[in-house]
Structures are given as structure tokens and as C-alpha cells.
Amino acid sequence: MSLEDGDAAWPGGRHVNGEVSGIPRLRGMGEPSLRGTTAPGGSRTDTMVEGCEPGLALVDGDVTPGGAPQRARQPEEALMTELSEVVQKVVKSSTWWERHGVDISILACSFLLLPAGFLCLRSAQAIPFLAGVLILGVVHHTLTVKGSHLASHNALTESKSWGKVWAIFFIELCSAFTVEQATYNHVKIHHGYTNVIGLGDSSTWKLPFLNRYVYMFIAPLAVPILTPLVALDLLRNVEWKAALRTLCCMFLGFYCHYWLLLHISGFQSPWSALLCMLLTRSLLAHPYIHVNIFQHIGLPMFAADRKPKRIHLMSLGVLNLPRNALLDWSFGHSLISCHVEHHLFPSLSDNMCLKIKPIVSQYLKQKKLPYNEDTYSSRLRFFLQRYEELMVHAPPITELVGIQ
């Protein structure tokens, strides 16, 4: 089957806007065979690299888990190199405001909204009180999802020192997670081995003992409780100094939220304050869980020793959702409508991912590579219909043969 001759026809899969949305089942064995020109210098990289240039890491391993070198598939490297050069020109021609300022302003505005949210909760009337819940819920997810995600990729600043500071603030203080484990699991594993079985296959989001409706609509309410518990368990894998720092940040973040609800919002009992904390912190938990599974699970999955190289891995195994004002603000473009762009260039900010989106989509379609897009409602129906297959049983491994 050739990707040069037209869009791939995936048996058992669906096409959305001419692209793939579903599980391809391609029969055959062997490594992809690619035609084209040799990458400049014929260079190869064995590990994931981030931060050499703003997000323009040419990443993919040419070594199997057992260490056996594979034959370089240089034409594919040439595709990634060509796309990276185009994107690099856009990044270099962009202003600081475009690279970082827009997203920093969104985070700053969220902080400025905090006093209004806490003060609204003082009201005994329903509408102002609900407005306070909405404000604090959106602000919480903006800081913990958008802020933490950008900080984990050092996309908020070009300074590594400040990047570390922002990572501790957003990931540990706001999100109650440890920086080291968050960075390793997300940046090194999920991004380095996207949709590779046993590594970056999003299996951490699967709870096979739950039925589809409980998982999709009830379990997300427990995210604010489960997150710190999982974080505490992962502290066993970090140095004691990092664990102590994380514990201090986690306690400070929770206590500040609790104290403000008691002394600014005027809650009379600890239980009412804690209940409000749970309500605001779970306000967008449903789309948070949904987005994390919609954009990878149900797309092609690969064995570690037979995965395609980077540009095919990301174009096949990543999906974009449509733009949504609330989710764009709270989660960021790189997690919603520009997820493909983010996986190809992970160190770019949300605003820069949005800026390069037309370039990336046009390039992939021009090269007859998949550019997966689907709607939120369509993915929700898809998961409810195929929950057993996607979230309970082991996903089938996709074997790409004769990609040319």
C-alpha cells in the first residue's frame, strides 16, 4: 500500500475530512520501505531531543530495544528535515509575543481572575456563586493543564533556569505532581514512543475494570483525588530531595486553596470548603480525560521493534480535535486542535502550534501522509461503541507494509 498514491484506505477505519479516524488493520510483516531522496548528511538520532531549537527536534530511534541497529530509512528523515526547516523559518521570523507572550498572557489573566472567583463564592445568591465556581474551575484547569503542559516542555520561556522554576510552580504547586515523574512519563515516554505498545501507548488512561459509562461520565469526577494519590506513589522513584520539595509544594498548593475558601469566600465549615475544592477542580475533568484518550487510543498502535520513524509515527498516531473556545483557553491549542503539530514539534508554545498548523497540515497532505482530524462528539460516540475493544482488551498492533 502506498502513501504516495493517495490517502491510505484503512480497513476497519473511518475517514474524517479525507483522513483516517479509526483502527487500521494492515496485514503483512516487515519494516516500512520508503522511496525518496537521502536526508542531508544521512544523519540519525537515537533518542528524543528537545530544546535544541524551539521544538524542532528531529526525533526517532533507529535502534531496536534489543540494541540491534536497523537500516536507516533516510527518505523519511528527509521529510522530517524538510518540514522542520520550513517550521524553523516561521519560528525565527516570529516575535517573542507570538512565541511565548500570548500564552503567558493567558496564564497571567487566569491569575488575575482568581480574586473575582473567590469573592463570587461569598454570595448567597445562586448566579454569583455559580459564576465563582465556573471562574475557579476554569482558572484551575488553565494553570494545571495548560500551564503544566507548557512548563513540562519548557515552552514558556527560552531560559532553562526559568523553565525549571515554572515547571515546579505549575506542575507541583498547582497540579500536585512531581516534576521529574511528569516530565519523564509525558515528554520522554509518551512523546518519544507515541502509540508504541508498552511505552507511550496511553495505557495509563485505561481502567478496564470500569464499564464504559462509569469511565466516561462518572470516574472523571475522581481526578482531583486520584492525581495527588498517584503522585505520592510515584515519589518512591525520585530522590529524597525532590520528594521533599514535591510534598512541600503539594501541601502549600492545597492549603492555600483551602485557606482562601475559608477566609476570603467565607465558607463556615472545613467540609463545605473541601467540597467546593472538589467541585471546582473537577469542573473540566470530563473533557480532560476524554481529550487524553480521543487523540491517541483508537489510532494505529505499533510494536517497539517495528515502529515507523517519527513523521509517520506522529501523523498516524495523533489526532486533532476542532477548535473550542473554552478548551483552547483552559487546555491550550497543542492539546486540542494542534495536537499533531505539538507531537511533531513539542517544544513550541500553544500559539506557535496554532501558527504552524496550516503549514504542517498542508505539508502532510501534500506528501500523502495522514492528517487525522475528528469532532469531539464523533470520538465520544466512537469510544462508547468500541469501548471493550479500545479500553479493555489489548489493542491490535498495526503492521505497516510497503509505505512508499
Side-chain angles (χ1 to χ4, degrees):
M1 184 185 69
S2 171
L3 294 182
E4 294 270 306
D5 299 331
D7 291 334
W10 302 110
R14 297 184 297 116
H15 286 255
V16 180
N17 296 328
E19 305 303 334
V20 181
S21 178
I23 301 179
R25 295 193 176 116
L26 305 178
R27 298 176 180 176
M29 295 293 292
E31 288 289 338
S33 173
L34 303 165
R35 286 200 305 254
T37 58
T38 302
S43 60
R44 297 191 300 173
T45 55
D46 294 327
T47 57
M48 182 168 183
V49 181
E50 268 203 1
C52 299
E53 292 291 344
L56 304 183
L58 304 184
V59 183
D60 194 60
D62 287 328
V63 177
T64 64
Q70 300 174 355
R71 183 180 297 276
R73 288 161 281 178
Q74 295 174 341
E76 221 175 6
E77 292 176 350
L79 291 177
M80 190 65 205
T81 300
E82 183 180 20
L83 177 59
S84 296
E85 288 174 351
V86 175
V87 171
Q88 178 68 23
K89 291 179 182 178
V90 175
V91 173
K92 288 185 175 179
S93 65
S94 300
T95 63
W96 176 88
W97 174 257
E98 292 175 306
R99 295 196 308 272
H100 304 292
V102 172
D103 294 295
I104 290 175
S105 296
I106 291 174
L107 294 171
C109 286
S110 297
F111 277 113
L112 295 176
L113 287 171
L114 282 173
F118 284 108
L119 290 173
C120 283
L121 293 178
R122 293 181 64 92
S123 176
Q125 299 180 359
I127 294 179
F129 183 84
L130 292 176
V133 171
L134 177 62
I135 291 171
L136 290 185
V138 171
V139 169
H140 171 75
H141 285 85
T142 304
L143 300 182
T144 59
V145 180
K146 179 184 176 70
S148 296
H149 188 232
L150 290 174
S152 70
H153 290 286
N154 199 35
L156 286 170
T157 175
E158 294 174 11
S159 166
K160 290 187 177 180
S161 299
W162 275 107
K164 179 67 173 178
V165 172
W166 289 125
I168 293 174
F169 177 79
F170 285 111
I171 298 175
E172 298 192 350
L173 187 69
C174 298
S175 305
F177 220 82
T178 176
V179 167
E180 286 77 7
Q181 284 297 308
T183 303
Y184 176 79
N185 290 329
H186 179 71
V187 178
K188 301 300 181 183
I189 301 300
H190 175 64
H191 273 268
Y193 302 93
T194 301
N195 281 24
V196 174
I197 299 293
L199 292 170
D201 59 359
S202 301
S203 59
T204 54
W205 297 103
K206 296 182 179 182
L207 298 174
F209 55 88
L210 297 178
N211 71 49
R212 67 195 68 203
Y213 298 105
V214 172
Y215 179 86
M216 300 295 286
F217 302 112
I218 298 177
L221 297 174
V223 168
I225 299 173
L226 294 176
T227 298
L229 294 179
V230 171
L232 289 173
D233 181 65
L234 291 175
L235 289 181
R236 298 177 301 172
N237 302 323
V238 301
E239 296 181 354
W240 71 268
K241 291 182 179 179
L244 181 61
R245 181 199 68 219
T246 300
L247 287 173
C248 291
C249 289
M250 289 172 63
F251 174 79
L252 182 60
F254 280 117
Y255 184 76
C256 286
H257 192 176
Y258 174 75
W259 188 92
L260 288 168
L261 288 174
L262 288 179
H263 295 86
I264 303 300
S265 300
F267 283 86
Q268 299 300 312
S269 71
W271 289 111
S272 62
L274 292 173
L275 183 61
C276 185
M277 286 179 64
L278 178 62
L279 179 61
T280 56
R281 289 173 178 243
S282 63
L283 186 70
L284 297 179
H286 288 82
Y288 173 71
I289 292 294
H290 294 170
V291 164
N292 275 285
I293 63 175
F294 288 175
Q295 294 179 318
H296 296 288
I297 299 175
L299 295 172
M301 310 295 291
F302 305 97
D305 60 345
R306 294 199 301 274
K307 67 183 178 74
K309 292 181 71 68
R310 181 173 179 79
I311 195 165
H312 274 97
L313 187 66
M314 301 311 175
S315 65
L316 287 166
V318 186
L319 177 141
N320 285 344
L321 295 169
R323 293 195 62 178
N324 177 287
L326 178 60
L327 298 185
D328 284 347
W329 177 277
S330 302
F331 295 173
H333 300 299
S334 61
L335 289 179
I336 305 299
S337 62
C338 304
H339 204 52
V340 174
E341 290 74 14
H342 169 65
H343 267 260
L344 287 168
F345 305 103
S347 293
L348 293 184
S349 66
D350 288 331
N351 186 64
M352 283 306 302
C353 284
L354 185 63
K355 186 174 181 179
I356 69 168
K357 180 181 174 70
I359 297 171
V360 173
S361 61
Q362 181 181 4
Y363 182 86
L364 293 180
K365 291 173 182 177
Q366 182 183 28
K367 299 299 182 180
K368 307 302 181 185
L369 294 173
Y371 187 77
N372 298 321
E373 296 178 299
D374 205 352
T375 64
Y376 192 102
S377 59
S378 174
R379 295 303 284 179
L380 183 59
R381 290 193 301 270
F382 178 66
F383 270 79
L384 289 175
Q385 292 169 358
R386 302 176 67 174
Y387 181 82
E388 291 289 328
E389 177 184 354
L390 300 176
M391 305 297 288
V392 177
H393 304 302
I397 294 177
T398 301
E399 296 173 358
L400 300 178
V401 180
I403 300 183
Q404 306 195 4

